[in-house]
Amino acid sequence: MLKNTNYKLALGVLVTILILAPWSLDLGFIPLTLQTLIIFIGASLLPWRTAIIVVGAYLALGALGLPVFGHHTSGFAKLYGATAGFLWGFVACAGYVAYASGRQEFHFFRAILIFLRAHLLLLIPGFAVLYYYMPGADLWNTLIHLIPGLIIKSLVGGVIAAQLRAKLVPVSDQIASLEEPNESD
């Protein structure tokens, strides 16, 4: 069962994801959606199981028609279409970010590394499903096109997450024990 503080934090993260994730910034040659930035920041504040539930709720609400996916899209078809690998990958990556964030001292440099790894992990299911739906797609050029945005989001997200975690996550919850499960997980 979630502690009251974790429940409030999880609800706040879900609302933030729902409001901000569909937006993107037009930086010309760099595609910059806010989905991974917001999901990873939110996940860094939560226990790993809670982060997975929050991102699962995000996917469910989007599938039910709430326009919360990239560029304010929605629908069940998004969960099995060409970009489904990225959407389902959000769940695993949120779990990874939350888990890694609670294992060691969390500061901006560590947060940036965790976010970079999560972005790279997200490309695996994302590109696999994309290639399934679009055989012959030029994934190499797509990767080259995505890298600057992933780096920017990892840098900005890491700095923001480190600051938020220091302010919002109680010190007693900041580094979880590997041996002893926490009730809030």
Side-chain angles (χ1 to χ4, degrees):
M1 175 154 268
L2 291 175
K3 292 181 189 174
N4 193 28
T5 306
N6 286 336
Y7 173 76
K8 289 177 184 176
L9 191 54
L11 187 59
V13 167
L14 178 60
V15 169
T16 303
I17 291 170
L18 294 174
I19 293 169
L20 297 177
W23 295 93
S24 61
L25 303 173
D26 184 12
L27 300 179
F29 66 95
I30 299 175
L32 203 59
T33 62
L34 297 183
Q35 286 175 300
T36 55
L37 177 69
I38 301 303
I39 288 170
F40 293 175
I41 290 171
S44 73
L45 303 173
L46 299 170
W48 69 271
R49 289 182 185 122
T50 307
I52 289 171
I53 291 168
V54 165
V55 176
Y58 160 71
L59 294 181
L61 290 170
L64 293 172
L66 202 60
V68 296
F69 298 145
H71 306 291
H72 299 281
T73 60
S74 65
F76 187 74
K78 289 286 200 179
L79 298 182
Y80 63 84
T83 58
F86 292 104
L87 292 174
W88 290 107
F90 289 160
V91 177
C93 287
Y96 163 72
V97 168
Y99 182 81
S101 297
R103 295 299 132 203
Q104 298 175 353
E105 182 183 347
F106 192 80
H107 48 76
F108 77 92
F109 183 69
R110 181 163 315 285
I112 291 167
L113 289 176
I114 290 169
F115 284 20
L116 278 171
R117 281 188 218 122
H119 276 112
L120 294 175
L121 287 170
L122 183 61
L123 295 176
I124 296 168
F127 278 6
V129 172
L130 186 62
Y131 196 76
Y132 173 80
Y133 279 95
M134 301 171 66
D138 188 358
L139 297 181
W140 180 252
N141 278 335
T142 302
L143 175 65
I144 298 301
H145 191 64
L146 291 175
I147 291 291
L150 301 181
I151 292 170
I152 290 169
K153 289 188 284 186
S154 294
L155 291 170
V156 170
V159 171
I160 293 171
Q163 293 299 312
L164 286 175
R165 189 168 170 86
K167 292 183 182 352
L168 297 176
V169 178
V171 175
S172 61
D173 292 346
Q174 289 208 14
I175 299 179
S177 168
L178 286 173
E179 291 82 28
E180 299 175 23
N182 187 335
E183 276 187 34
S184 65
D185 283 350

